[in-house]
Amino acid sequence: MENFNFYSPTEFVFGKDRENECGEYVLKHGGSKVLIHYGGGSAVRSGLLDRVCASLDKSGISYVKLGGVQPNPRSGLVYQGIDICRNEKIDFILAVGGGSVIDSSKAIAAGTVYDGDFWDFYCGKRITEALPVGTVLTIAAAGSEGSPDSVITKEEGMFKRGASGDAIRPRFSILNPALTQSLPPHQTAAGITDIMAHLYERYLTNSKEVEVTDRLIEGLLLTMVHEGPRVIKDPNNYDARANIMWAGMMAHNNSCGVGRSQDWNSHNIEHELSALYDCAHGAGLAVTLPAVFTYVCDHDVMRFAQVAVRVWGCQMDFANPRATAMEGIEKLRQFFISIGMPKNFEELGAKKEDIPKLVEVLCRGNGRDGSISGFVTLNEDDCTKIYELMI
Ligand code: NZQ
Ligand code: ZN
């Protein structure tokens, strides 16, 4: 196990109706004038936004609303949010929505107190200062409710890039699983896929002797394999929703990632797909993960065989561990298909002829030097072959 610091200061407020307490938590965490940031309308239609406003009113907190965050959130709205926060002297941002809304809120929070262009943070500058952010989560997926990360797409060039820093970890996150019952099945499934991807990105490590985190990841993957189909079959199953929601947080606040190197090549490869085709991030991952894993399997066959046996119930073939490893990858692929995720480029809406463009932006865009690194280093030729495996 490698040396690490783990700092996860978010207060999690979990359970039914807890959004009605958000005013108290804003006060507790020092907010007096709030920007309520939300998405394209689901929070309005469900009445959630009204409940959030009522709770702030009850606590005597004033607020300004800014809606319109789209999935794969864009830089344009971030600039608008920064202007509002400065002009209105906002001191707290409350994100009401999913990963896209939370990430846009985090970008605004960091940009408001920064003299330069907020995009600097998405080109590698670490975020060390930001307005405090709280969240009311409406979809179990990205894990942004507990993470120090934000992913934004810059319209010029359609670069989808991430920024990080403990300063943007939410001060509190309200997790009411019942709020996720209104999700369309495709979004529920995309969320399940993203959560599993966050676990696999950590599982693929070059660090040795990481039994605790290996076992945590395997336990969470097993939970997803159990609860995913239950919730797809019965979207109103509160208990399945609750387990998935907490697994989503655990998968990405890095409690399972400490003391070990991590991968993230699949996320980088997928981000180009959701940037170009505006597909759900999780749907892109369903197509990406099996392709990447097939390509890199030989780097550490035993790691893939281990997850195949421990999570997917495969029998270990000691004479041919690669066969076991590949069987586990195939079971993962079939699982994604079984919950309604796309299985290839065509179903995702991606085009073979775009591969050179995807590879160019992935490996050269935004200051990259021709490769991406994680579990293995992948150059342009490798990435081309991986996208080709998705056809
Ligand atoms: O905009 P509204 O109308 O709210 O609709 C949203 C959106 O269309 C809808 N939705 C959300 N909650 C709902 C609901 N519809 C009905 N009922 C509800 N309760 O679902 C759609 C997707 O929402 P979005 O916020 O985009 O989903 P998700 O949480 O999957 O976030 C995806 C974004 O997070 C980034 C992804 O790249 C992507 O941009 N990620 C962020 C990470 C982080 N900050 O740590 C890590 C992840 O790996 C990921 O990259
Ligand atoms: Zn993700």
Side-chain angles (χ1 to χ4, degrees), residues 159 161 268-273 275-277 345 351-372 378-391:
F159 292 122
R161 295 290 183 263
N268 285 322
I269 289 169
E270 189 295 315
H271 281 162
E272 303 311 337
L273 296 172
L276 188 61
Y277 305 111
F345 249 38
K351 296 193 189 73
K352 186 182 165 188
E353 53 272 28
D354 290 337
I355 289 177
K357 185 160 72 180
L358 290 164
V359 172
E360 165 76 20
V361 183
L362 171 66
C363 295
R364 299 266 168 207
N366 221 20
R368 289 199 182 138
D369 66 354
S371 65
I372 54 170
L378 300 170
N379 63 24
E380 286 159 287
D381 185 42
D382 297 318
C383 293
T384 301
K385 288 181 178 138
I386 288 169
Y387 282 124
E388 283 171 355
L389 282 174
M390 301 181 205
I391 296 167

mmCIF file of all heavy atoms in Angstrom, residues 159 161 268-273 275-277 345 351-372 378-391:
data_model
loop_
_atom_site.group_PDB
_atom_site.id
_atom_site.type_symbol
_atom_site.label_atom_id
_atom_site.label_comp_id
_atom_site.label_asym_id
_atom_site.label_seq_id
_atom_site.Cartn_x
_atom_site.Cartn_y
_atom_site.Cartn_z
ATOM 1 N N PHE A 159 -13.863 20.590 -25.654
ATOM 2 C CA PHE A 159 -12.986 19.838 -24.758
ATOM 3 C C PHE A 159 -13.769 19.507 -23.493
ATOM 4 O O PHE A 159 -14.296 20.413 -22.847
ATOM 5 C CB PHE A 159 -11.779 20.681 -24.336
ATOM 6 C CG PHE A 159 -10.822 20.970 -25.449
ATOM 7 C CD1 PHE A 159 -10.516 22.284 -25.788
ATOM 8 C CD2 PHE A 159 -10.216 19.945 -26.145
ATOM 9 C CE1 PHE A 159 -9.632 22.556 -26.813
ATOM 10 C CE2 PHE A 159 -9.324 20.210 -27.165
ATOM 11 C CZ PHE A 159 -9.028 21.523 -27.504
ATOM 12 N N ARG A 161 -13.113 18.280 -19.865
ATOM 13 C CA ARG A 161 -11.953 18.102 -18.995
ATOM 14 C C ARG A 161 -12.348 18.211 -17.521
ATOM 15 O O ARG A 161 -13.349 18.839 -17.184
ATOM 16 C CB ARG A 161 -10.885 19.164 -19.293
ATOM 17 C CG ARG A 161 -10.265 19.065 -20.678
ATOM 18 C CD ARG A 161 -9.366 17.817 -20.802
ATOM 19 N NE ARG A 161 -8.693 17.726 -22.086
ATOM 20 C CZ ARG A 161 -9.110 17.009 -23.127
ATOM 21 N NH1 ARG A 161 -10.230 16.318 -23.052
ATOM 22 N NH2 ARG A 161 -8.414 16.966 -24.247
ATOM 23 N N ASN A 268 -11.184 8.973 -19.535
ATOM 24 C CA ASN A 268 -10.663 9.923 -20.525
ATOM 25 C C ASN A 268 -11.136 9.570 -21.933
ATOM 26 O O ASN A 268 -11.520 10.441 -22.711
ATOM 27 C CB ASN A 268 -9.128 9.962 -20.469
ATOM 28 C CG ASN A 268 -8.647 10.733 -19.254
ATOM 29 O OD1 ASN A 268 -9.244 11.743 -18.880
ATOM 30 N ND2 ASN A 268 -7.601 10.260 -18.603
ATOM 31 N N ILE A 269 -11.108 8.276 -22.232
ATOM 32 C CA ILE A 269 -11.540 7.834 -23.574
ATOM 33 C C ILE A 269 -13.036 8.102 -23.750
ATOM 34 O O ILE A 269 -13.475 8.573 -24.803
ATOM 35 C CB ILE A 269 -11.194 6.333 -23.760
ATOM 36 C CG1 ILE A 269 -9.666 6.205 -23.884
ATOM 37 C CG2 ILE A 269 -11.911 5.737 -24.950
ATOM 38 C CD1 ILE A 269 -9.142 4.773 -23.806
ATOM 39 N N GLU A 270 -13.805 7.850 -22.705
ATOM 40 C CA GLU A 270 -15.261 8.110 -22.800
ATOM 41 C C GLU A 270 -15.566 9.585 -22.893
ATOM 42 O O GLU A 270 -16.486 9.974 -23.613
ATOM 43 C CB GLU A 270 -15.993 7.520 -21.578
ATOM 44 C CG GLU A 270 -17.509 7.550 -21.694
ATOM 45 C CD GLU A 270 -18.151 8.929 -21.726
ATOM 46 O OE1 GLU A 270 -17.774 9.798 -20.911
ATOM 47 O OE2 GLU A 270 -19.025 9.165 -22.588
ATOM 48 N N HIS A 271 -14.862 10.422 -22.162
ATOM 49 C CA HIS A 271 -15.215 11.851 -22.150
ATOM 50 C C HIS A 271 -15.239 12.432 -23.565
ATOM 51 O O HIS A 271 -16.047 13.320 -23.865
ATOM 52 C CB HIS A 271 -14.248 12.641 -21.248
ATOM 53 C CG HIS A 271 -14.565 12.510 -19.792
ATOM 54 N ND1 HIS A 271 -13.681 12.815 -18.789
ATOM 55 C CD2 HIS A 271 -15.688 12.081 -19.158
ATOM 56 C CE1 HIS A 271 -14.243 12.594 -17.599
ATOM 57 N NE2 HIS A 271 -15.460 12.145 -17.809
ATOM 58 N N GLU A 272 -14.404 11.907 -24.459
ATOM 59 C CA GLU A 272 -14.445 12.402 -25.844
ATOM 60 C C GLU A 272 -15.757 12.000 -26.519
ATOM 61 O O GLU A 272 -16.283 12.741 -27.352
ATOM 62 C CB GLU A 272 -13.251 11.872 -26.653
ATOM 63 C CG GLU A 272 -11.883 12.221 -26.063
ATOM 64 C CD GLU A 272 -11.722 13.693 -25.698
ATOM 65 O OE1 GLU A 272 -12.437 14.542 -26.252
ATOM 66 O OE2 GLU A 272 -10.883 13.991 -24.828
ATOM 67 N N LEU A 273 -16.295 10.842 -26.139
ATOM 68 C CA LEU A 273 -17.560 10.400 -26.745
ATOM 69 C C LEU A 273 -18.718 11.276 -26.270
ATOM 70 O O LEU A 273 -19.526 11.746 -27.073
ATOM 71 C CB LEU A 273 -17.837 8.929 -26.390
ATOM 72 C CG LEU A 273 -16.822 7.911 -26.939
ATOM 73 C CD1 LEU A 273 -17.087 6.519 -26.352
ATOM 74 C CD2 LEU A 273 -16.913 7.848 -28.468
ATOM 75 N N ALA A 275 -18.505 14.231 -25.085
ATOM 76 C CA ALA A 275 -18.302 15.605 -25.558
ATOM 77 C C ALA A 275 -18.782 15.735 -27.001
ATOM 78 O O ALA A 275 -19.491 16.678 -27.354
ATOM 79 C CB ALA A 275 -16.826 15.990 -25.460
ATOM 80 N N LEU A 276 -18.436 14.755 -27.849
ATOM 81 C CA LEU A 276 -18.770 14.879 -29.277
ATOM 82 C C LEU A 276 -20.224 14.526 -29.573
ATOM 83 O O LEU A 276 -20.875 15.189 -30.378
ATOM 84 C CB LEU A 276 -17.825 13.984 -30.101
ATOM 85 C CG LEU A 276 -17.915 14.129 -31.620
ATOM 86 C CD1 LEU A 276 -17.572 15.552 -32.064
ATOM 87 C CD2 LEU A 276 -16.971 13.145 -32.318
ATOM 88 N N TYR A 277 -20.737 13.491 -28.910
ATOM 89 C CA TYR A 277 -22.096 13.026 -29.262
ATOM 90 C C TYR A 277 -23.142 13.392 -28.222
ATOM 91 O O TYR A 277 -24.320 13.073 -28.386
ATOM 92 C CB TYR A 277 -22.082 11.500 -29.468
ATOM 93 C CG TYR A 277 -21.052 11.070 -30.488
ATOM 94 C CD1 TYR A 277 -19.923 10.362 -30.108
ATOM 95 C CD2 TYR A 277 -21.193 11.403 -31.831
ATOM 96 C CE1 TYR A 277 -18.960 9.980 -31.036
ATOM 97 C CE2 TYR A 277 -20.239 11.030 -32.771
ATOM 98 C CZ TYR A 277 -19.126 10.322 -32.358
ATOM 99 O OH TYR A 277 -18.182 9.964 -33.281
ATOM 100 N N PHE A 345 -20.641 1.277 -30.931
ATOM 101 C CA PHE A 345 -20.643 2.641 -31.472
ATOM 102 C C PHE A 345 -22.010 3.017 -32.028
ATOM 103 O O PHE A 345 -22.520 4.101 -31.774
ATOM 104 C CB PHE A 345 -19.597 2.732 -32.604
ATOM 105 C CG PHE A 345 -18.406 3.587 -32.256
ATOM 106 C CD1 PHE A 345 -17.875 3.572 -30.974
ATOM 107 C CD2 PHE A 345 -17.801 4.397 -33.213
ATOM 108 C CE1 PHE A 345 -16.769 4.362 -30.649
ATOM 109 C CE2 PHE A 345 -16.701 5.193 -32.902
ATOM 110 C CZ PHE A 345 -16.184 5.169 -31.617
ATOM 111 N N LYS A 351 -19.678 7.482 -34.592
ATOM 112 C CA LYS A 351 -19.380 7.144 -35.989
ATOM 113 C C LYS A 351 -17.911 6.749 -36.158
ATOM 114 O O LYS A 351 -17.012 7.424 -35.649
ATOM 115 C CB LYS A 351 -19.662 8.348 -36.878
ATOM 116 C CG LYS A 351 -21.110 8.765 -36.918
ATOM 117 C CD LYS A 351 -21.321 9.755 -38.070
ATOM 118 C CE LYS A 351 -22.699 10.370 -38.020
ATOM 119 N NZ LYS A 351 -22.851 11.351 -36.945
ATOM 120 N N LYS A 352 -17.720 5.655 -36.898
ATOM 121 C CA LYS A 352 -16.379 5.127 -37.148
ATOM 122 C C LYS A 352 -15.469 6.196 -37.763
ATOM 123 O O LYS A 352 -14.299 6.326 -37.396
ATOM 124 C CB LYS A 352 -16.539 3.946 -38.111
ATOM 125 C CG LYS A 352 -15.304 3.179 -38.387
ATOM 126 C CD LYS A 352 -15.618 2.070 -39.383
ATOM 127 C CE LYS A 352 -14.326 1.518 -39.945
ATOM 128 N NZ LYS A 352 -14.515 0.586 -41.035
ATOM 129 N N GLU A 353 -16.029 6.983 -38.679
ATOM 130 C CA GLU A 353 -15.185 7.973 -39.378
ATOM 131 C C GLU A 353 -14.701 9.095 -38.455
ATOM 132 O O GLU A 353 -13.812 9.861 -38.816
ATOM 133 C CB GLU A 353 -15.879 8.543 -40.625
ATOM 134 C CG GLU A 353 -17.268 9.121 -40.420
ATOM 135 C CD GLU A 353 -18.386 8.069 -40.559
ATOM 136 O OE1 GLU A 353 -18.139 6.880 -40.285
ATOM 137 O OE2 GLU A 353 -19.518 8.464 -40.917
ATOM 138 N N ASP A 354 -15.302 9.202 -37.275
ATOM 139 C CA ASP A 354 -14.857 10.239 -36.321
ATOM 140 C C ASP A 354 -13.656 9.794 -35.479
ATOM 141 O O ASP A 354 -13.124 10.591 -34.695
ATOM 142 C CB ASP A 354 -16.001 10.604 -35.355
ATOM 143 C CG ASP A 354 -17.120 11.368 -36.038
ATOM 144 O OD1 ASP A 354 -16.850 11.995 -37.087
ATOM 145 O OD2 ASP A 354 -18.257 11.330 -35.519
ATOM 146 N N ILE A 355 -13.240 8.526 -35.604
ATOM 147 C CA ILE A 355 -12.183 8.020 -34.704
ATOM 148 C C ILE A 355 -10.907 8.874 -34.746
ATOM 149 O O ILE A 355 -10.377 9.233 -33.688
ATOM 150 C CB ILE A 355 -11.896 6.518 -34.965
ATOM 151 C CG1 ILE A 355 -13.090 5.685 -34.469
ATOM 152 C CG2 ILE A 355 -10.614 6.061 -34.253
ATOM 153 C CD1 ILE A 355 -12.991 4.187 -34.708
ATOM 154 N N PRO A 356 -10.412 9.270 -35.932
ATOM 155 C CA PRO A 356 -9.189 10.108 -35.924
ATOM 156 C C PRO A 356 -9.383 11.404 -35.136
ATOM 157 O O PRO A 356 -8.496 11.826 -34.387
ATOM 158 C CB PRO A 356 -8.959 10.397 -37.413
ATOM 159 C CG PRO A 356 -9.634 9.270 -38.129
ATOM 160 C CD PRO A 356 -10.833 8.906 -37.296
ATOM 161 N N LYS A 357 -10.587 11.992 -35.256
ATOM 162 C CA LYS A 357 -10.853 13.233 -34.515
ATOM 163 C C LYS A 357 -10.901 12.969 -33.000
ATOM 164 O O LYS A 357 -10.348 13.723 -32.196
ATOM 165 C CB LYS A 357 -12.202 13.807 -35.001
ATOM 166 C CG LYS A 357 -12.550 15.156 -34.420
ATOM 167 C CD LYS A 357 -13.589 15.890 -35.268
ATOM 168 C CE LYS A 357 -14.966 15.259 -35.124
ATOM 169 N NZ LYS A 357 -16.006 15.905 -35.917
ATOM 170 N N LEU A 358 -11.562 11.882 -32.614
ATOM 171 C CA LEU A 358 -11.643 11.529 -31.181
ATOM 172 C C LEU A 358 -10.241 11.335 -30.599
ATOM 173 O O LEU A 358 -9.924 11.832 -29.513
ATOM 174 C CB LEU A 358 -12.445 10.224 -31.000
ATOM 175 C CG LEU A 358 -13.943 10.287 -31.262
ATOM 176 C CD1 LEU A 358 -14.529 8.880 -31.438
ATOM 177 C CD2 LEU A 358 -14.652 11.004 -30.109
ATOM 178 N N VAL A 359 -9.401 10.626 -31.352
ATOM 179 C CA VAL A 359 -8.040 10.331 -30.868
ATOM 180 C C VAL A 359 -7.213 11.605 -30.783
ATOM 181 O O VAL A 359 -6.466 11.818 -29.822
ATOM 182 C CB VAL A 359 -7.370 9.283 -31.791
ATOM 183 C CG1 VAL A 359 -5.900 9.101 -31.430
ATOM 184 C CG2 VAL A 359 -8.109 7.948 -31.693
ATOM 185 N N GLU A 360 -7.369 12.465 -31.779
ATOM 186 C CA GLU A 360 -6.616 13.733 -31.799
ATOM 187 C C GLU A 360 -6.944 14.573 -30.551
ATOM 188 O O GLU A 360 -6.059 15.034 -29.840
ATOM 189 C CB GLU A 360 -6.982 14.492 -33.091
ATOM 190 C CG GLU A 360 -6.593 15.961 -33.159
ATOM 191 C CD GLU A 360 -5.112 16.160 -33.422
ATOM 192 O OE1 GLU A 360 -4.476 15.220 -33.912
ATOM 193 O OE2 GLU A 360 -4.602 17.266 -33.096
ATOM 194 N N VAL A 361 -8.249 14.739 -30.280
ATOM 195 C CA VAL A 361 -8.633 15.567 -29.120
ATOM 196 C C VAL A 361 -8.216 14.876 -27.819
ATOM 197 O O VAL A 361 -7.734 15.514 -26.878
ATOM 198 C CB VAL A 361 -10.156 15.852 -29.120
ATOM 199 C CG1 VAL A 361 -10.532 16.769 -27.954
ATOM 200 C CG2 VAL A 361 -10.587 16.496 -30.424
ATOM 201 N N LEU A 362 -8.382 13.547 -27.785
ATOM 202 C CA LEU A 362 -8.035 12.791 -26.574
ATOM 203 C C LEU A 362 -6.543 12.899 -26.247
ATOM 204 O O LEU A 362 -6.164 13.158 -25.102
ATOM 205 C CB LEU A 362 -8.422 11.314 -26.785
ATOM 206 C CG LEU A 362 -7.960 10.316 -25.717
ATOM 207 C CD1 LEU A 362 -8.650 10.593 -24.386
ATOM 208 C CD2 LEU A 362 -8.249 8.869 -26.163
ATOM 209 N N CYS A 363 -5.704 12.686 -27.253
ATOM 210 C CA CYS A 363 -4.258 12.567 -26.986
ATOM 211 C C CYS A 363 -3.493 13.872 -27.165
ATOM 212 O O CYS A 363 -2.380 14.001 -26.642
ATOM 213 C CB CYS A 363 -3.661 11.492 -27.886
ATOM 214 S SG CYS A 363 -4.301 9.849 -27.541
ATOM 215 N N ARG A 364 -4.054 14.812 -27.920
ATOM 216 C CA ARG A 364 -3.318 16.055 -28.194
ATOM 217 C C ARG A 364 -4.032 17.294 -27.660
ATOM 218 O O ARG A 364 -3.388 18.336 -27.490
ATOM 219 C CB ARG A 364 -3.132 16.237 -29.715
ATOM 220 C CG ARG A 364 -2.344 15.129 -30.369
ATOM 221 C CD ARG A 364 -0.865 15.474 -30.458
ATOM 222 N NE ARG A 364 -0.086 14.320 -30.822
ATOM 223 C CZ ARG A 364 1.185 14.147 -30.487
ATOM 224 N NH1 ARG A 364 1.814 15.064 -29.778
ATOM 225 N NH2 ARG A 364 1.840 13.072 -30.853
ATOM 226 N N GLY A 365 -5.355 17.177 -27.456
ATOM 227 C CA GLY A 365 -6.127 18.368 -27.093
ATOM 228 C C GLY A 365 -5.776 18.917 -25.730
ATOM 229 O O GLY A 365 -5.346 18.173 -24.844
ATOM 230 N N ASN A 366 -5.930 20.233 -25.591
ATOM 231 C CA ASN A 366 -5.800 20.872 -24.279
ATOM 232 C C ASN A 366 -4.451 20.581 -23.619
ATOM 233 O O ASN A 366 -4.362 20.333 -22.425
ATOM 234 C CB ASN A 366 -6.934 20.374 -23.369
ATOM 235 C CG ASN A 366 -7.518 21.495 -22.526
ATOM 236 O OD1 ASN A 366 -7.354 22.670 -22.859
ATOM 237 N ND2 ASN A 366 -8.174 21.157 -21.443
ATOM 238 N N GLY A 367 -3.400 20.576 -24.436
ATOM 239 C CA GLY A 367 -2.042 20.475 -23.881
ATOM 240 C C GLY A 367 -1.519 19.068 -23.666
ATOM 241 O O GLY A 367 -0.433 18.900 -23.106
ATOM 242 N N ARG A 368 -2.248 18.028 -24.084
ATOM 243 C CA ARG A 368 -1.720 16.663 -23.890
ATOM 244 C C ARG A 368 -0.620 16.373 -24.925
ATOM 245 O O ARG A 368 -0.584 16.965 -25.981
ATOM 246 C CB ARG A 368 -2.850 15.642 -23.995
ATOM 247 C CG ARG A 368 -3.765 15.728 -22.790
ATOM 248 C CD ARG A 368 -4.600 14.477 -22.615
ATOM 249 N NE ARG A 368 -5.493 14.648 -21.473
ATOM 250 C CZ ARG A 368 -6.765 14.277 -21.456
ATOM 251 N NH1 ARG A 368 -7.303 13.697 -22.510
ATOM 252 N NH2 ARG A 368 -7.508 14.467 -20.374
ATOM 253 N N ASP A 369 0.251 15.388 -24.583
ATOM 254 C CA ASP A 369 1.473 15.218 -25.385
ATOM 255 C C ASP A 369 1.456 13.998 -26.305
ATOM 256 O O ASP A 369 2.503 13.505 -26.699
ATOM 257 C CB ASP A 369 2.672 15.129 -24.439
ATOM 258 C CG ASP A 369 2.588 13.854 -23.592
ATOM 259 O OD1 ASP A 369 1.552 13.150 -23.687
ATOM 260 O OD2 ASP A 369 3.554 13.559 -22.864
ATOM 261 N N GLY A 370 0.278 13.482 -26.618
ATOM 262 C CA GLY A 370 0.227 12.348 -27.545
ATOM 263 C C GLY A 370 -0.113 11.031 -26.875
ATOM 264 O O GLY A 370 -0.172 10.001 -27.549
ATOM 265 N N SER A 371 -0.334 11.059 -25.570
ATOM 266 C CA SER A 371 -0.717 9.814 -24.894
ATOM 267 C C SER A 371 -1.525 10.124 -23.635
ATOM 268 O O SER A 371 -1.569 11.272 -23.185
ATOM 269 C CB SER A 371 0.532 9.004 -24.519
ATOM 270 O OG SER A 371 1.284 9.708 -23.563
ATOM 271 N N ILE A 372 -2.164 9.087 -23.104
ATOM 272 C CA ILE A 372 -2.827 9.194 -21.791
ATOM 273 C C ILE A 372 -2.277 8.075 -20.910
ATOM 274 O O ILE A 372 -1.891 7.021 -21.415
ATOM 275 C CB ILE A 372 -4.369 9.120 -21.896
ATOM 276 C CG1 ILE A 372 -4.817 7.852 -22.645
ATOM 277 C CG2 ILE A 372 -4.937 10.356 -22.558
ATOM 278 C CD1 ILE A 372 -6.320 7.594 -22.579
ATOM 279 N N LEU A 378 -1.259 4.766 -22.922
ATOM 280 C CA LEU A 378 -1.852 4.490 -24.231
ATOM 281 C C LEU A 378 -1.509 5.630 -25.185
ATOM 282 O O LEU A 378 -1.792 6.798 -24.887
ATOM 283 C CB LEU A 378 -3.380 4.378 -24.105
ATOM 284 C CG LEU A 378 -3.909 3.283 -23.166
ATOM 285 C CD1 LEU A 378 -5.417 3.443 -22.955
ATOM 286 C CD2 LEU A 378 -3.608 1.887 -23.735
ATOM 287 N N ASN A 379 -0.895 5.283 -26.329
ATOM 288 C CA ASN A 379 -0.595 6.322 -27.324
ATOM 289 C C ASN A 379 -1.734 6.407 -28.348
ATOM 290 O O ASN A 379 -2.754 5.709 -28.222
ATOM 291 C CB ASN A 379 0.777 6.076 -27.969
ATOM 292 C CG ASN A 379 0.807 4.752 -28.732
ATOM 293 O OD1 ASN A 379 -0.235 4.240 -29.154
ATOM 294 N ND2 ASN A 379 1.996 4.203 -28.896
ATOM 295 N N GLU A 380 -1.514 7.234 -29.363
ATOM 296 C CA GLU A 380 -2.603 7.455 -30.336
ATOM 297 C C GLU A 380 -2.997 6.168 -31.054
ATOM 298 O O GLU A 380 -4.176 5.929 -31.311
ATOM 299 C CB GLU A 380 -2.176 8.534 -31.339
ATOM 300 C CG GLU A 380 -2.206 9.915 -30.705
ATOM 301 C CD GLU A 380 -1.348 10.932 -31.427
ATOM 302 O OE1 GLU A 380 -0.111 10.832 -31.310
ATOM 303 O OE2 GLU A 380 -1.910 11.809 -32.096
ATOM 304 N N ASP A 381 -1.998 5.329 -31.351
ATOM 305 C CA ASP A 381 -2.283 4.073 -32.034
ATOM 306 C C ASP A 381 -3.137 3.157 -31.131
ATOM 307 O O ASP A 381 -4.130 2.562 -31.576
ATOM 308 C CB ASP A 381 -0.937 3.408 -32.382
ATOM 309 C CG ASP A 381 -1.140 2.158 -33.203
ATOM 310 O OD1 ASP A 381 -1.991 2.194 -34.122
ATOM 311 O OD2 ASP A 381 -0.490 1.132 -32.906
ATOM 312 N N ASP A 382 -2.752 3.084 -29.850
ATOM 313 C CA ASP A 382 -3.533 2.265 -28.900
ATOM 314 C C ASP A 382 -4.980 2.771 -28.822
ATOM 315 O O ASP A 382 -5.930 1.987 -28.848
ATOM 316 C CB ASP A 382 -2.928 2.352 -27.488
ATOM 317 C CG ASP A 382 -1.520 1.797 -27.405
ATOM 318 O OD1 ASP A 382 -1.268 0.746 -28.016
ATOM 319 O OD2 ASP A 382 -0.669 2.422 -26.736
ATOM 320 N N CYS A 383 -5.121 4.085 -28.707
ATOM 321 C CA CYS A 383 -6.477 4.651 -28.544
ATOM 322 C C CYS A 383 -7.310 4.425 -29.796
ATOM 323 O O CYS A 383 -8.515 4.159 -29.705
ATOM 324 C CB CYS A 383 -6.397 6.133 -28.184
ATOM 325 S SG CYS A 383 -5.671 6.393 -26.545
ATOM 326 N N THR A 384 -6.672 4.501 -30.956
ATOM 327 C CA THR A 384 -7.388 4.210 -32.209
ATOM 328 C C THR A 384 -7.917 2.776 -32.163
ATOM 329 O O THR A 384 -9.090 2.514 -32.461
ATOM 330 C CB THR A 384 -6.436 4.374 -33.414
ATOM 331 O OG1 THR A 384 -5.947 5.706 -33.406
ATOM 332 C CG2 THR A 384 -7.138 4.082 -34.732
ATOM 333 N N LYS A 385 -7.053 1.859 -31.746
ATOM 334 C CA LYS A 385 -7.469 0.441 -31.719
ATOM 335 C C LYS A 385 -8.594 0.213 -30.702
ATOM 336 O O LYS A 385 -9.483 -0.601 -30.914
ATOM 337 C CB LYS A 385 -6.262 -0.451 -31.398
ATOM 338 C CG LYS A 385 -5.297 -0.520 -32.579
ATOM 339 C CD LYS A 385 -4.113 -1.410 -32.271
ATOM 340 C CE LYS A 385 -3.185 -1.510 -33.476
ATOM 341 N NZ LYS A 385 -1.765 -1.447 -33.101
ATOM 342 N N ILE A 386 -8.520 0.946 -29.598
ATOM 343 C CA ILE A 386 -9.574 0.786 -28.582
ATOM 344 C C ILE A 386 -10.913 1.295 -29.135
ATOM 345 O O ILE A 386 -11.944 0.622 -29.012
ATOM 346 C CB ILE A 386 -9.172 1.499 -27.276
ATOM 347 C CG1 ILE A 386 -8.061 0.705 -26.585
ATOM 348 C CG2 ILE A 386 -10.379 1.674 -26.351
ATOM 349 C CD1 ILE A 386 -7.390 1.409 -25.423
ATOM 350 N N TYR A 387 -10.910 2.473 -29.751
ATOM 351 C CA TYR A 387 -12.178 2.960 -30.342
ATOM 352 C C TYR A 387 -12.667 1.979 -31.410
ATOM 353 O O TYR A 387 -13.869 1.736 -31.532
ATOM 354 C CB TYR A 387 -11.994 4.355 -30.947
ATOM 355 C CG TYR A 387 -11.990 5.493 -29.930
ATOM 356 C CD1 TYR A 387 -10.920 6.381 -29.848
ATOM 357 C CD2 TYR A 387 -13.070 5.699 -29.063
ATOM 358 C CE1 TYR A 387 -10.912 7.438 -28.924
ATOM 359 C CE2 TYR A 387 -13.073 6.734 -28.134
ATOM 360 C CZ TYR A 387 -11.987 7.602 -28.073
ATOM 361 O OH TYR A 387 -12.006 8.638 -27.161
ATOM 362 N N GLU A 388 -11.736 1.375 -32.156
ATOM 363 C CA GLU A 388 -12.156 0.418 -33.198
ATOM 364 C C GLU A 388 -12.812 -0.825 -32.587
ATOM 365 O O GLU A 388 -13.704 -1.417 -33.186
ATOM 366 C CB GLU A 388 -10.950 0.021 -34.065
ATOM 367 C CG GLU A 388 -10.593 1.132 -35.059
ATOM 368 C CD GLU A 388 -9.272 0.913 -35.798
ATOM 369 O OE1 GLU A 388 -8.559 -0.065 -35.487
ATOM 370 O OE2 GLU A 388 -8.961 1.743 -36.675
ATOM 371 N N LEU A 389 -12.352 -1.192 -31.391
ATOM 372 C CA LEU A 389 -12.983 -2.349 -30.721
ATOM 373 C C LEU A 389 -14.442 -2.085 -30.346
ATOM 374 O O LEU A 389 -15.192 -2.999 -30.038
ATOM 375 C CB LEU A 389 -12.209 -2.703 -29.436
ATOM 376 C CG LEU A 389 -10.913 -3.477 -29.569
ATOM 377 C CD1 LEU A 389 -10.231 -3.602 -28.203
ATOM 378 C CD2 LEU A 389 -11.175 -4.869 -30.148
ATOM 379 N N MET A 390 -14.810 -0.792 -30.314
ATOM 380 C CA MET A 390 -16.186 -0.442 -29.905
ATOM 381 C C MET A 390 -17.163 -0.500 -31.086
ATOM 382 O O MET A 390 -18.369 -0.375 -30.901
ATOM 383 C CB MET A 390 -16.232 0.967 -29.320
ATOM 384 C CG MET A 390 -15.338 1.173 -28.118
ATOM 385 S SD MET A 390 -15.489 2.863 -27.498
ATOM 386 C CE MET A 390 -13.902 3.079 -26.692
ATOM 387 N N ILE A 391 -16.625 -0.670 -32.316
ATOM 388 C CA ILE A 391 -17.505 -0.644 -33.491
ATOM 389 C C ILE A 391 -18.356 -1.904 -33.496
ATOM 390 O O ILE A 391 -19.548 -1.893 -33.714
ATOM 391 C CB ILE A 391 -16.674 -0.550 -34.790
ATOM 392 C CG1 ILE A 391 -15.919 0.770 -34.794
ATOM 393 C CG2 ILE A 391 -17.573 -0.637 -36.027
ATOM 394 C CD1 ILE A 391 -14.849 0.844 -35.845
#
